């Protein structure tokens, strides 16, 4: 296989180049700076080098200059990638011995043509050298294969290691199954492994890792792959799943299996794991990116207490320093009164009137402007600040809606989101009782929204907590319903009153027939279970017509109103605005 070395500091371009070349059957190695590029060129002896000219530190010219001192390196075709191809640059490169230039941005055919012509030209020169080498190569090959095996397998667990990951991913991708099905990358790390090792010794740690590897392997089937990344970290490539839900089932099976007692050398030990999940190609096209993202999700799962899985989300990507800065300023946001509550109406499809409101947090950052909840809650959840913020929002929203109750809108319901950390607080119920008690808010008008994934983390505990809240008269809504976490069977076990259909379904009703069918099925199922159904994110009359036709109970969405601040919401209430409902004639057509 022809080996190409890509030296390019721009991550996106490097990823793209690698993907194109890998798809064309090249073996690709990459470096993000000149020094690393030289190291790799010497160690791996590629058949061709693609090298960026402008790089911080050692630039492309210096790389070529250094490599050309070594006669074996000088024989490797060298192509420069450059954004500015002036005559001077061109000359300077050629004098140093570059074989060609590709001016960015270049197309895939241009790239492949450039590579093909350079490989062809050098072949004749290299032929003589190659014949001499062939003699030695046979024996060398044998030694290489052995080295390859040893360097690509972990001797402790007998699993492929990090070096083998890219090749395994390529294999999965190229199988028929991989082409049709979903490829899921799990990054698994044991919780408290260092503690176990410190208490029971390093040898015991090794025994445990071996046993863990066996248990993980037992949970998957070919052609899925398990890789021992390092220490207590494993990667799993799932090629046999068709839906996100199946991948989750496997992740849960792995977690359940690992949390069973290990009996090793007369010691009994309990250990749990955290799993981060990334999906190909949604969360990345290259295995390196996918693993990085799965790893970010795994860290998040650990931060939330471990023994759970977590999907990768773009919100985890807020840069580290950005994140730190946000965390620091979020600490003061409450004191500086930078947080706001916005209210979005919930409308009944019986009359088109407002029956409730969802309270949504907003952060008016002094420099960054308005920060929406997706970013805010990710940072707040991580630091634990979500707890005081959630409490503040709950109190503020209850006070506000109580004012509206007192001014004649006495049956307006209030919906508040609860995060995982809030829901898992031991004293949640007590705190809620205290707040609503002080305000005099009737809990019968309160709905708490919980994400499916929060409930699925520990079903038994969740049921117990929900029952505790329901005993107060509070209603429970399952938010983002349909995003694929829970099986419908579980739903029956949860003491809930309301299903909020995720907006991704509503948005695709018109052009994706299966989304429409799922939405219809969710509504029907909810009716059978005696649950109220709310369609979220309704933006167009055709979406409204669909949910109306299928007898959804309520809607929320920009079609009626975006979330607004309290005074504007009050105006809306007073105006008695109604959502124009589709006429029967219209939807029967
Ligand atoms: P959610 O509970 O599903 O809230 C509805 C989200 O959909 C809101 O986004 C709302 O602005 C948006 N939305 C409403 N109608 C439409 C529409 O027609 N089209 C589109 N494209 N979007 C619509 P927002 O405010 O950014 O909130 C996002 C999520 O953040 C919420 O989703 C909720 O899960 C979470 N969140 C918001 N406030 C809080 C909070 O105070 N505490 C906690 N724990 N989570 C919160
Ligand atoms: Mg919500």
């Amino acid at each position: 296989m022809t080996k190409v070395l890509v030296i390019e500091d721009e991550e996106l371009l490097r990823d793209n180049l690698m993907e194109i070349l890998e798809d064309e059957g090249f073996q690709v190695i990459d470096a993000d700076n000149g020094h690393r590029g030289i190291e790799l060129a010497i160690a791996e002896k590629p058949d061709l080098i693609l090298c960026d000219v402008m790089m911080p530190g050692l630039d492309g010219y210096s790389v070529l200059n250094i490599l050309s001192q070594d006669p074996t390196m000088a024989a490797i075709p060298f192509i420069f990638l450059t954004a500015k191809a002036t005559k001077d640059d061109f000359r300077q490169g050629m004098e140093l011995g570059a074989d060609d230039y590709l001016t960015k941005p270049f197309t895939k055919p241009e790239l492949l043509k450039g590579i093909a012509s350079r490989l062809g030209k050098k072949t004749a020169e290299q032929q003589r050298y190659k014949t001499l080498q062939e003699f030695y190569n046979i024996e060398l090959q044998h030694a290489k294969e052995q080295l390859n095996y040893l360097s690509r397998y972990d001797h402790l667990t007998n699993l492929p290691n990090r070096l083998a990951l890219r090749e395994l991913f390529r294999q999965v991708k190229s199988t028929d199954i991989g082409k049709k099905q979903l490829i899921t990358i799990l990054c698994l790390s044991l919780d408290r492994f260092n503690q176990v090792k410190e208490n029971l010794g390093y040898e015991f740690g090794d025994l445990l890792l071996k046993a863990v590897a066996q248990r993980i392997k037992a949970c998957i089937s070919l052609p899925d792959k398990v890789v021992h990344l390092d220490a207590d970290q494993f990667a799993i490539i799932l090629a046999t799943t068709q839906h996100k839900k199946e991948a989750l089932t496997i992740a849960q099976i792995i977690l359940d299996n690992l949390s069973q007692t290990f009996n090793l050398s007369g010691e009994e030990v309990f250990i749990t794991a955290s799993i981060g999940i990334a999906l190909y190609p949604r969360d990345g096209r290259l295995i390196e990116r996918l693993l990085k993202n799965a790893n970010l999700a795994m860290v998040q799962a650990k931060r939330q207490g471990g023994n759970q899985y977590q999907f990768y989300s773009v919100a985890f990507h807020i840069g580290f320093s950005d994140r730190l800065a946000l965390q620091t300023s979020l600490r003061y946001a409450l004191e500086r009164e930078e947080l706001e509550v916005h209210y979005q109406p919930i409308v009944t499809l019986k009359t088109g009137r407002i029956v409730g409101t969802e309270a949504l947090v907003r952060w008016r950052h002094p420099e960054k402007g308005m920060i929406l909840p997706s970013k805010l809650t990710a940072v707040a959840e991580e630091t634990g600040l979500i707890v005081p913020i959630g409490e503040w929002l709950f109190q503020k929203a209850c006070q506000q809606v109580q004012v509206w109750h007192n001014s004649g809108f006495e049956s307006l319901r209030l919906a508040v989101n609860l995060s995982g950390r809030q829901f898992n607080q031991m004293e949640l119920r007590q705190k809620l009782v205290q707040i609503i008690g002080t305000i005099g808010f009737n809990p019968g008008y309160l709905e708490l929204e919980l994400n499916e994934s929060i409930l699925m983390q520990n079903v038994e505990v969740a049921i117990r907590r929900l029952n505790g809240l329901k005993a107060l008269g509070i209603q429970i809504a399952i938010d983002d319903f349909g995003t694929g976490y829970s099986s419908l069977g579980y739903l029956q076990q949860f003491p809930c009153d309301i299903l909020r259909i995720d907006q991704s379904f509503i948005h695709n009703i018109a052009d994706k027939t299966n989304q429409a069918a799922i939405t219809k099925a969710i509504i029907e199922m909810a009716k059978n279970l005696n649950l109220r159904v709310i369609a979220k994110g309704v933006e167009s009359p055709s979406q409204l017509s669909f949910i109306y036709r299928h007898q959804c109970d309520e809607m929320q969405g920009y079609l009626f109103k975006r979330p607004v601040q309290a005074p504007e919401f009050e105006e809306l209430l007073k105006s008695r605005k109604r959502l124009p409902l589709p006429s029967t004639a219209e939807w029967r057509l």
Side-chain angles (χ1 to χ4, degrees):
M1 202 190 261
T2 308
K3 200 190 280 181
V4 179
L5 167 61
V6 176
I7 311 174
E8 167 65 64
D9 63 314
E10 256 178 71
E11 193 179 1
L12 199 61
L13 179 59
R14 196 171 68 240
D15 284 358
N16 281 340
L17 279 169
M18 288 168 68
E19 201 190 349
I20 293 175
L21 295 174
E22 280 187 351
D23 282 351
E24 290 298 316
F26 291 100
Q27 183 192 346
V28 194
I29 45 178
D30 68 302
D32 62 1
N33 64 62
H35 288 289
R36 178 83 189 121
I38 292 172
E39 272 171 27
L40 277 179
I42 295 169
E44 299 270 344
K45 306 229 170 359
D47 301 295
L48 182 127
I49 298 174
L50 290 173
C51 180
D52 187 19
V53 174
M54 303 284 285
M55 288 186 291
L58 208 60
D59 66 9
Y61 298 132
S62 316
V63 171
L64 179 57
N65 202 2
I66 294 170
L67 288 180
S68 54
Q69 314 291 321
D70 175 341
T72 53
M73 290 291 118
I76 303 173
F78 196 102
I79 300 180
F80 270 131
L81 308 176
T82 174
K84 50 170 196 143
T86 66
K87 262 191 183 154
D88 279 352
D89 290 329
F90 190 75
R91 197 172 302 126
Q92 194 181 347
M94 289 306 178
E95 275 166 11
L96 281 169
D99 296 281
D100 209 347
Y101 257 93
L102 280 171
T103 309
K104 298 181 205 171
F106 43 81
T107 61
K108 182 174 165 181
E110 279 165 0
L111 169 71
L112 296 178
K113 200 172 140 209
I115 291 178
S117 74
R118 287 308 130 194
L119 282 173
K121 221 173 191 176
K122 284 275 163 161
T123 311
E125 287 168 32
Q126 286 170 343
Q127 196 54 46
R128 208 172 55 86
Y129 179 65
K130 269 196 176 155
T131 326
L132 268 176
Q133 276 202 326
E134 257 160 29
F135 175 70
Y136 301 105
N137 273 357
I138 301 164
E139 281 193 27
L140 206 66
Q141 187 59 28
H142 185 66
K144 248 187 175 172
E145 272 165 20
Q146 220 170 353
L147 196 69
N148 198 20
Y149 177 85
L150 289 175
S151 65
R152 277 159 211 270
Y153 273 80
D154 176 69
H155 69 278
L156 179 71
T157 54
N158 235 348
L159 289 175
N161 66 16
R162 192 184 280 272
L163 287 177
L165 193 65
R166 194 188 283 175
E167 175 56 23
L168 293 177
F169 182 61
R170 207 185 56 78
Q171 281 173 18
V172 168
K173 243 179 26 169
S174 62
T175 56
D176 272 353
I177 295 177
K179 278 182 190 145
K180 276 186 236 114
Q181 310 210 340
L182 190 70
I183 305 181
T184 315
I185 313 298
L186 311 184
C187 177
L188 180 149
S189 162
L190 297 178
D191 302 325
R192 301 178 298 107
F193 179 65
N194 282 341
Q195 226 170 308
V196 172
K197 232 169 36 181
E198 274 162 28
N199 292 343
L200 298 170
Y202 280 72
E203 269 182 40
F204 187 86
D206 284 353
L207 275 183
L208 182 60
L209 285 179
K210 270 194 204 175
V212 164
Q214 288 308 322
R215 284 204 190 168
I216 299 176
K217 260 169 80 174
C219 297
I220 59 162
S221 49
L222 281 173
D224 297 348
K225 317 268 183 210
V226 187
V227 171
H228 188 184
L229 294 173
D230 48 29
D232 62 315
Q233 282 205 14
F234 296 83
I236 300 143
I237 306 176
L238 296 180
T240 46
T241 50
Q242 263 178 323
H243 303 290
K244 206 164 137 187
K245 212 168 80 188
E246 284 174 61
L248 291 186
T249 309
I250 297 179
Q252 191 59 52
I253 290 174
I254 297 175
L255 289 179
D256 291 346
N257 268 292
L258 292 182
S259 63
Q260 307 289 319
T261 327
F262 284 90
N263 274 308
L264 301 167
S265 307
E267 297 279 358
E268 245 195 359
V269 62
F270 287 101
I271 191 125
T272 54
S274 300
I275 297 181
I277 307 175
L279 302 174
Y280 167 87
R282 192 194 75 178
D283 300 330
R285 301 191 68 84
L286 291 175
I287 184 65
E288 288 79 3
R289 173 69 54 88
L290 287 161
L291 189 65
K292 206 155 113 188
N293 290 343
N295 189 65
L296 273 174
M298 181 274 288
V299 171
Q300 193 70 15
K302 260 197 204 307
R303 283 193 183 127
Q304 286 176 16
N307 196 19
Q308 56 186 283
Y309 54 73
Q310 178 81 46
F311 265 103
Y312 164 73
S313 141
V314 258
F316 302 158
H317 254 315
I318 310 164
F320 184 66
S321 54
D322 203 12
R323 216 177 174 105
L324 269 184
L326 274 187
Q327 282 178 6
T328 317
S329 44
L330 186 57
R331 282 184 202 284
Y332 300 107
L334 263 176
E335 286 167 30
R336 294 183 189 146
E337 299 186 353
E338 289 166 10
L339 296 184
E340 291 173 5
V341 189
H342 285 208
Y343 298 87
Q344 187 176 31
I346 301 173
V347 170
T348 170
L349 295 181
K350 284 196 183 76
T351 60
R353 297 254 187 232
I354 301 174
V355 283
T357 178
E358 179 176 14
L360 296 156
V361 70
R362 295 285 182 271
W363 180 11
R364 205 177 286 276
H365 191 283
E367 286 131 34
K368 295 185 194 295
M370 192 66 99
I371 297 180
L372 285 172
S374 53
K375 211 168 181 181
L376 189 164
T377 47
V379 174
E381 182 84 25
E382 222 173 83
T383 48
L385 282 168
I386 193 77
V387 172
I389 290 175
E391 245 173 77
W392 168 85
L393 178 128
F394 183 74
Q395 180 167 29
K396 187 118 178 137
C398 283
Q399 274 167 346
Q400 180 60 68
V401 174
Q402 186 62 43
V403 170
W404 289 331
H405 281 179
N406 295 343
S407 57
F409 304 98
E410 55 286 313
S411 55
L412 186 75
R413 294 190 332 249
L414 167 65
V416 177
N417 294 280
L418 273 195
S419 79
R421 241 189 228 254
Q422 283 176 283
F423 183 61
N424 290 325
Q425 264 185 299
M426 295 297 281
E427 56 286 358
L428 172 73
R429 188 170 183 270
Q430 199 186 329
K431 278 186 178 165
L432 297 185
V433 168
Q434 200 223 329
I435 295 173
I436 51 182
T438 315
I439 297 170
F441 193 91
N442 181 347
Y445 290 109
L446 188 60
E447 293 170 8
L448 292 180
E449 296 182 5
L450 284 149
N451 220 298
E452 278 184 274
S453 57
I454 299 173
L455 299 178
M456 296 302 291
Q457 279 167 15
N458 190 334
V459 175
E460 277 167 38
V461 174
I463 292 175
R464 214 175 323 124
R465 283 174 178 266
L466 292 181
N467 279 326
L469 295 171
K470 274 186 68 78
L472 298 172
I474 296 174
Q475 302 208 344
I476 305 294
I478 301 197
D479 215 350
D480 299 337
F481 188 78
T483 42
Y485 292 98
S486 61
S487 75
L488 300 180
Y490 272 123
L491 186 68
Q492 274 168 295
Q493 303 180 39
F494 290 120
C496 58
D497 310 275
I498 304 154
L499 269 197
R500 292 167 49 83
I501 305 178
D502 191 59
Q503 55 191 38
S504 58
F505 288 99
I506 306 300
H507 289 175
N508 293 319
I509 277 175
D511 33 62
K512 296 212 175 117
T513 41
N514 58 339
Q515 304 291 76
I518 295 172
T519 309
K520 187 169 161 259
I522 294 177
I523 299 176
E524 274 166 19
M525 181 197 64
K527 297 266 162 196
N528 285 335
L529 296 174
N530 238 346
L531 302 175
R532 188 147 45 88
V533 204
I534 307 181
K536 300 192 326 185
V538 178
E539 292 181 350
S540 70
S542 61
Q543 291 164 355
L544 174 66
S545 168
F546 183 92
I547 57 163
Y548 185 73
R549 193 164 69 228
H550 292 100
Q551 291 168 8
C552 182
D553 299 298
E554 291 165 10
M555 69 73 82
Q556 185 180 344
Y558 296 168
L559 181 67
F560 186 71
K561 193 81 186 166
R562 285 175 181 262
V564 290
Q565 284 185 275
E568 198 177 334
F569 191 86
E570 191 166 319
E571 289 298 306
L572 193 70
L573 282 176
K574 288 186 179 153
S575 74
R576 311 235 165 228
K577 181 178 165 182
R578 256 173 88 161
L579 173 73
L581 296 172
S583 70
T584 318
E586 190 185 317
W587 59 259
R588 279 222 172 111
L589 280 176

